[in-house]
């Protein structure tokens, strides 16, 4: 092993090493600084040189930038020129199509018009182009020519496909229940029939408006109209459309049978003719509104889709004259002289106008259609007013009827049957009448209104009948007449809907009136003859011959002559009654039999009793058959001939 080193010696050696290293580092740093200074000097020299080079290159850069800008300007100019030239190309292409016209290729023609409008917009915005005004003027002139040809095409195309609708085709569009029988074009509505029931459509009835213009043509017409409107030719479009379609619509109505009639024409007509025309008018109104006007509205909506300002106006212009044609007839009827027979046709007319109310409101919506809409609703009001006034006239006419129609047999008076039939017909219109009453009597229940009116008519009839009954000289016939007529009224009410409205109390009260008149007839007609069968006054006259007691025993208290006189009187009176009252009439079988029975129940027992008591006194004398001419059975048979309405020369049964 070696000897250990002393610590002091070791430390001295380490310090020498560090000093050596530090000196070496200082030397390295000095060299680096020298190198850095040299590099900075070199770089500074480069910067100076680059600045000099940049200064030398600047003119070249400026020339290069100018060349580049010039090139870009040339490119832009070339592109602009290409666009302008393309617009001229498009203009020439469009011009060729315009000169060719729209007839052969309408779609291509419409594209050409769009191109012309695009060219005008382009040059209008191209301010730097010297001749843009001249180009725009030329293209505008070309566009004007194009629109004129377009207008002619629109007019020709619309006219070609606008034809009147034949009646048969319209009838096919109606619900089955509304289609007329073949061969009844002008008279499809039965004028004598009530316009309801089988002939009134159900609420679910389907109406199919006909295609007035083929669906494939409508888009073309729409495009033509749109182009013309865009060109500012609104009025020309409207005029062409109105003149063409309005004429065709009127022709369709005239083919159907619609005719223009004034108030004076209506006043001159025979009632049967007028009634038929009213029935037809009701049918025409339904066809016009639900089929023709609905079809016209559909065409307008499709042709002027997106052109709201034209849609309602064109529809109003097309339908105006046809609406006026139809409403003028209704107005003439509403304003004509009132008469009872017109009430039912007025109600029919009011009914159809109410039925069509919602459809008229829908079809003729909008401000421009307001006049026609209000005209239709005004007619409804006038019909209601006239119907109500006619109702009042009828009530007054019934009460004041002064006809001298002879009803010598006491049967049902023609006025009674007329009024009752009238009331029956009124009840066929119950719903319409209730609606009519609501037009004017908002506060009162329509059922009670109808009941009041019916009762007033019945009372007016009875008042009139009371007056007519006083014309009879025979008071018995007066009561028979009233019995017959009031019985007819009661029976008719019981068999109709009027019973529910008038009530059981009314029916029972009037049945008692019938019985009262029957009792009065029996009392007046038979009191005198029953008096001849009475035992009252059968006292002894002091004459000769045997007598019979009043109580049936033998007595001299009763004169045979008096008994004979009583029997002769009975025979004469009964024969007179038989001759006269067999000419009287009780038309109701049940009432006739009950009246005969009521007479028989009074007469026959009295006759049997009288003959039984006093017959032997006569039979014991001469010619008993001269006085006891009839058996009770003979009387019963002859009573069976009463109230048959026989004529004087008619042989007895």
């Amino acid at each position: 092993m070696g000897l250990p080193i002393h610590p002091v010696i070791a430390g001295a050696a380490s310090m020498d090493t560090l000093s050596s290293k530090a000196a070496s580092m200082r030397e390295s740093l000095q060299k680096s600084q020298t190198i850095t200074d040299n590099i900075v000097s070199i770089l500074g020299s480069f910067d100076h040189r680059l600045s000099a080079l940049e200064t030398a290159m600047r003119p070249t850069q400026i020339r290069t930038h100018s060349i580049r800008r010039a090139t870009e300007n040339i490119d832009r100019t070339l592109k602009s020129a290409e666009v302008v030239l393309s617009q001229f190309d498009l203009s020439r292409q469009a011009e060729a199509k315009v000169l060719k016209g729209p007839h052969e290729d309408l779609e291509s023609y419409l594209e050409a018009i769009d191109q012309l409008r695009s060219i005008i917009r382009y040059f209008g915005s191209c301010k730097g182009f010297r001749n843009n005004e001249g180009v725009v003027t030329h293209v505008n002139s070309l566009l004007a020519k194009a629109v004129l040809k377009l207008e002619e095409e629109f007019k020709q195309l619309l006219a070609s496909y606008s034809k009147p609708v034949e009646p048969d085709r319209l009838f096919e569009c109606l619900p089955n229940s509304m289609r007329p029988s073949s061969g009844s074009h002008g008279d499809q509505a039965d004028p004598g029939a009530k316009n309801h029931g089988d002939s009134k459509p159900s609420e679910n009835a389907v109406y199919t408006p006909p295609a007035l213009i083929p669906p494939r043509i409508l888009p073309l017409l729409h495009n033509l109209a749109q182009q013309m409107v865009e060109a500012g030719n609104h009025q020309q479009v409207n005029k062409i459309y109105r003149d063409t379609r309005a004429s065709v619509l009127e022709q369709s109505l005239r083919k159907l049978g619609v005719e223009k009639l004034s108030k004076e024409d209506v006043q001159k007509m025979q009632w049967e003719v007028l009634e038929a025309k009213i029935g037809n008018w009701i049918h025409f109104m339904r066809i016009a509104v639900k089929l023709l006007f609905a079809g016209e509205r559909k065409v307008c909506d499709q042709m002027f889709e997106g052109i709201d300002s034209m849609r309602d106006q064109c529809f109003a212009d097309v339908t105006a004259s046809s609406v006026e044609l139809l409403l003028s007839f209704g107005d003439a009827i509403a304003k004509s002289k009132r008469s009872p027979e017109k009430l039912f046709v007025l109600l029919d007319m009011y009914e159809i106008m109410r039925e069509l109310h919602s459809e008229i409101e829908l079809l003729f919506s909008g401000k421009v259609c307001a006049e026609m809409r209000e005209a239709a609703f005004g007619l409804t009001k006038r019909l209601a007013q006239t119907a109500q006034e006619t109702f009042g006239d009828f009530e007054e006419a019934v009460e004041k009827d002064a006809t001298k129609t002879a009803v010598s047999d006491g049967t049902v008076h023609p006025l009674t049957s007329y009024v009752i039939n009238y009331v029956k017909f009124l009840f066929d219109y119950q719903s319409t009448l209730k609606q009519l009453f609501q037009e004017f009597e908002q506060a009162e229940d329509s059922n009670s209104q109808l009941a009041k009116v019916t009762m007033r008519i019945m009372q007016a009839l009875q008042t009139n009948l009371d007056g007519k009954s006083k014309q009879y000289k025979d008071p018995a016939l007066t009561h028979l007449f009233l019995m017959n007529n009031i019985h007819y009224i009661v029976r008719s009410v019981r068999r109709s809907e009027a019973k529910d409205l008038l009530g059981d109390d009314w029916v029972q009260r009037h049945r008692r009136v019938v019985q009262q008149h029957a009792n009065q007839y029996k009392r007046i007609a038979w009191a005198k003859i029953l008096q001849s069968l009475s035992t009252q006054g059968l006292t002894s006259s002091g004459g000769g011959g045997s007598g019979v007691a009043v109580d049936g025993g033998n007595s001299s208290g009763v004169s045979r002559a008096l008994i004979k006189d009583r029997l002769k009187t009975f025979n004469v009176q009964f024969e007179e009654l038989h001759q006269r009252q067999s000419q009287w009439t009780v038309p109701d079988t049940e009432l006739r039999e009950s009246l005969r029975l009521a007479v028989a129940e009074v007469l026959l027992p009295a006759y049997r009793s009288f003959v039984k008591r006093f017959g032997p006194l006569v039979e014991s004398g001469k010619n008993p058959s001269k006085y006891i001419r009839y058996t009770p059975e003979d009387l019963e048979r002859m009573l069976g001939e009463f109230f048959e309405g026989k004529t004087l020369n008619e042989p007895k049964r």
Side-chain angles (χ1 to χ4, degrees), residues 11-21:
S14 297
M15 287 294 294
D16 290 338
T17 303
L18 287 170
S19 297
S20 175
K21 286 181 179 180

Side-chain angles (χ1 to χ4, degrees), residues 270-320:
Q270 293 290 326
W271 168 241
E272 293 75 13
V273 176
L274 183 59
E275 190 178 19
K277 288 189 181 296
I278 291 170
N280 287 338
W281 179 86
I282 289 165
H283 209 51
F284 297 156
M285 279 298 298
R286 190 178 280 119
I287 289 174
V289 173
K290 292 179 178 285
L291 299 181
L292 289 172
F293 295 163
E296 287 294 343
R297 172 53 87 176
K298 189 175 180 181
V299 168
C300 274
D301 288 349
Q302 291 179 339
M303 190 174 298
F304 300 106
E305 185 181 358
I307 317 173
D308 294 342
S309 60
M310 298 285 296
R311 193 164 51 195
D312 286 350
Q313 187 64 57
C314 285
F315 176 73
D317 290 345
V318 165
T319 54

Side-chain angles (χ1 to χ4, degrees), residues 493-652:
V493 167
R494 288 177 64 196
R495 294 177 179 180
S496 72
E497 295 177 67
K499 180 186 176 184
D500 297 330
L501 207 61
L502 297 176
D504 284 331
D505 287 346
W506 187 95
V507 171
Q508 293 305 322
R509 188 166 67 253
H510 285 79
R511 288 183 74 178
R512 287 194 293 273
V513 172
V514 173
Q515 189 58 52
Q516 287 166 11
H517 285 299
N519 292 340
Q520 286 291 84
Y521 153 78
K522 187 173 65 174
R523 183 184 64 78
I524 294 169
W526 296 93
K528 192 175 180 181
I529 195 171
L530 287 171
Q531 186 64 37
S532 68
L533 298 175
S534 169
T535 58
Q536 189 176 358
L538 291 176
T539 57
S540 175
S541 60
S546 61
V548 179
V550 172
D551 61 2
N554 291 329
S555 171
S556 61
V558 178
S559 164
R560 178 185 286 116
L562 188 56
I563 296 299
K564 287 180 179 180
D565 187 58
R566 284 284 190 96
L567 287 171
K568 282 173 68 177
T569 300
F570 173 83
N571 292 336
V572 170
Q573 288 178 342
F574 185 78
E575 285 165 5
E576 286 177 354
L577 285 170
H578 177 264
Q579 183 184 32
R580 186 165 64 253
Q581 295 196 24
S582 62
Q583 296 174 51
W584 294 359
T585 302
V586 177
D588 184 80
T589 305
E590 187 178 338
L591 182 62
R592 184 169 63 244
E593 289 302 323
S594 68
L595 194 60
R596 286 171 179 168
L597 181 61
V599 172
E601 285 175 348
V602 174
L603 180 67
L604 296 181
Y607 185 75
R608 284 193 182 97
S609 176
F610 191 88
V611 170
K612 183 178 180 181
R613 289 181 181 183
F614 305 114
L617 183 61
V618 175
E619 288 168 350
S620 63
K622 294 179 181 180
N623 298 321
S625 61
K626 180 179 177 181
Y627 305 102
I628 306 176
R629 192 174 294 176
Y630 303 107
T631 65
E633 291 72 26
D634 290 333
L635 295 180
E636 187 173 11
R637 176 183 56 77
M638 293 174 76
L639 282 174
E641 295 174 351
F642 276 51
F643 319 125
E644 291 284 352
K646 292 181 178 180
T647 56
L648 281 172
N649 56 359
E650 189 176 344
K652 293 182 181 180

Side-chain angles (χ1 to χ4, degrees), residues 8 100 107 150 160 208 227 391-392 412 444 469 482 548 567 587:
V8 174
K100 193 176 181 181
E107 289 185 18
L150 203 63
S160 297
T208 311
Q227 292 288 356
F391 220 136
V412 175
E444 194 165 2
S469 70
L482 290 171
V548 179
L567 287 171

Side-chain angles (χ1 to χ4, degrees), residues 73-86 122:
N73 286 337
I74 290 168
D75 287 342
R76 279 197 296 271
T77 302
L78 288 172
K79 287 179 181 177
S80 296
E82 285 176 7
V83 173
V84 171
L85 290 172
S86 70
Y122 173 78

